[in-house]
Amino acid sequence: MMLSKRVQSVSPSATIAITTRAKQLQAEGVDVVSFAAGEPDFDTPKCIKEAAKAALDAGDTKYNPRSARALLEAIAAKLRSENGLKVAPEQIVVTFGGKQAFYDTFQATIDPGDKVLIPAPYWVSYPEMVKLAGGEPVFLATTAAGGFKITPQQVLDAADGAKALVLNSPSNPTGVTYTRDELHAIARAVLKTDLIVLSDEIYENLTYGDAEPTCFATLDAALPERTLTINGLAKTFAMTGWRLGWAAGPSELIAAIRKIMSHETTNPVSFVQAGALAAYTDPRAAEAVVEMRKEFERRSLHMAERLNAIDGVEALQPTGAFYCFPDVSAHYGRTIGDVAVGDSLSFAAAALDQANVALVPGVAFGEDRCVRLSFATGMEQIDKGIDRLAALLK
Ligand code: PLP
């Protein structure tokens, strides 16, 4: 079969591949501790499930579901009250997860050869989606010493001939949250260029310590016309399987995404939109988010502390999302069990094969010195998995 050059240029998602392998081993009876998945271990709050069930029972099973308009209004209200961003419901599009919001945005904005600036380490899907749109990802390198944050100067240096800048705070995979001042400085740089900004704020409700989320589009009056805010319910409300996300921004871009969707998925699932409406409007959902955030914060402190107690493992304290992204490169060059460890892939292979611990090699995110561990798993599992890693790396 002759597959398209387009699809041949793309790598499959490493996170999905490792999660699938860990689940397969678990199904075979192997006691694997998985730090691979990027999804909350909590169940979706009950009031959200009930709203979706009620919509099904009420026959809300057609195209253009009944709750669609109310959901757009609820998202606009959330953006106004929580983020201080004023957008009309017409400036919002609801999608199949944040993933579709990004995919269709790149389809709507990128012509063959267009450059898209992506801070590295990055979420695995950005570069592949840019390539699928015919564009060229250009990485802005960051280091652990620099807090895994880009500088305004990097944006200015790379902006010439580039079309878009992706921002992701709090970040997958680094767990880093930019401060408002840092984003302000980046905003000032952006405004000296022609870049549009795709601001991925999907982890905004998961910040820890003094860190606070910032809605990038609110940082300057000139930003809304060139910023698309992308978000979704998966991480905040423990709704990964529901596949519901959204994007808010310039009307022309939102209309373009809608046009693509009209030939693609038409609209997200009818009763899922009813559940999403409850997520944004039922106070019980908001209460559940508060509890989940608290628990993630407890785990973030515990996991980073335990990782840093292992020789040759250096982790920044996460200030958001649910990942630790430690530098493990001090172990490269060793043979662990019968695996010669020389990079993040072989490190992850040794962890899985020798210690039954699944983690994601940093190379998938553009940083080969690190591996990603998700703390979206219970404390007992965190301790069990890190005990195993500590024993393996002795
Ligand atoms: N953005 C980031 C940074 C993510 O980590 C993810 C999911 O892992 C997404 C967007 C997309 O999430 P979803 O499509 O599940 O809404």
Side-chain angles (χ1 to χ4, degrees), residues 38 97-99 123 126 168 172 200 202-203 234-235 243-244 323:
K99 241 177 202 172
W123 176 47
Y126 302 136
N168 175 216
N172 173 10
D200 184 344
I202 201 158
Y203 292 98
K235 319 290 177 175
R243 311 305 307 127
L244 205 93
Y323 309 103

Side-chain angles (χ1 to χ4, degrees), residues 86-102:
K86 278 194 201 130
V87 289
E90 292 68 31
Q91 289 176 271
I92 299 168
V93 60
V94 177
T95 54
F96 267 84
K99 241 177 202 172
Q100 190 189 20
F102 261 101

Side-chain angles (χ1 to χ4, degrees), residues 54-55 57-71 270 277:
D57 289 342
D60 196 356
T61 54
K62 309 290 185 211
Y63 291 134
N64 299 317
R66 288 173 209 152
S67 50
R69 176 75 196 178
L71 178 56
S270 55
L277 178 59

Side-chain angles (χ1 to χ4, degrees), residues 13-304:
S13 163
T15 41
I16 292 179
I18 302 226
T19 313
T20 309
R21 169 119 177 83
K23 283 196 175 146
Q24 196 184 337
L25 285 169
Q26 282 164 341
E28 288 164 13
V30 182
D31 178 22
V32 172
V33 175
S34 181
F35 295 130
E39 63 180 342
D41 52 321
F42 302 109
D43 196 6
T44 304
K46 201 164 162 230
C47 61
I48 300 176
K49 290 204 238 178
E50 276 167 0
K53 284 189 216 162
L56 262 180
D57 289 342
D60 196 356
T61 54
K62 309 290 185 211
Y63 291 134
N64 299 317
R66 288 173 209 152
S67 50
R69 176 75 196 178
L71 178 56
L72 293 177
E73 284 167 3
I75 295 169
K78 168 249 176 310
L79 280 168
R80 206 167 36 246
S81 63
E82 272 183 38
N83 307 95
L85 185 66
K86 278 194 201 130
V87 289
E90 292 68 31
Q91 289 176 271
I92 299 168
V93 60
V94 177
T95 54
F96 267 84
K99 241 177 202 172
Q100 190 189 20
F102 261 101
Y103 189 89
D104 289 358
T105 300
F106 288 130
Q107 292 294 325
T109 54
I110 300 304
D111 281 321
D114 278 350
K115 291 184 177 141
V116 177
L117 309 184
I118 302 176
Y122 45 76
W123 176 47
V124 288
S125 295
Y126 302 136
E128 306 310 314
M129 289 183 184
V130 169
K131 286 192 254 168
L132 282 166
E136 186 192 328
V138 173
F139 300 113
L140 307 182
T142 67
T143 59
F148 287 128
K149 290 173 180 174
I150 57 162
T151 62
Q153 193 58 45
Q154 281 179 289
V155 174
L156 291 173
D157 290 346
D160 200 20
K163 183 99 182 243
L165 166 69
V166 174
L167 291 175
N168 175 216
S169 172
S171 153
N172 173 10
T174 62
V176 159
T177 307
Y178 285 73
T179 66
R180 193 175 178 81
D181 285 352
E182 287 162 345
L183 287 174
H184 229 135
I186 292 172
R188 281 195 293 274
V190 163
L191 290 170
K192 290 182 190 154
T193 72
D194 294 328
L195 290 168
I196 59 167
V197 175
L198 311 178
S199 181
D200 184 344
E201 299 175 15
I202 201 158
Y203 292 98
E204 67 169 344
N205 292 104
L206 301 174
T207 57
Y208 314 123
D210 296 337
E212 280 181 8
T214 304
C215 178
F216 188 80
T218 62
L219 290 173
D220 191 285
L223 285 172
E225 68 190 37
R226 55 155 99 192
T227 303
L228 192 71
T229 303
I230 297 180
N231 207 321
L233 284 77
K235 319 290 177 175
T236 298
F237 297 101
M239 290 175 69
T240 44
W242 293 63
R243 311 305 307 127
L244 205 93
W246 49 267
S251 308
E252 198 185 351
L253 178 51
I254 296 297
I257 296 171
R258 282 188 206 281
K259 183 163 71 173
I260 294 170
M261 279 184 75
S262 75
H263 296 294
E264 189 191 27
T265 51
T266 306
N267 55 255
V269 177
S270 55
F271 46 91
V272 162
Q273 295 199 55
L277 178 59
Y280 284 122
T281 53
D282 190 318
R284 290 172 295 178
E287 282 159 25
V289 172
V290 169
E291 290 311 310
M292 289 189 276
R293 194 211 64 81
K294 259 194 227 157
E295 178 58 18
F296 281 132
E297 178 155 31
R298 213 164 67 88
R299 294 174 187 176
S300 74
L301 293 165
H302 187 64
M303 184 183 259

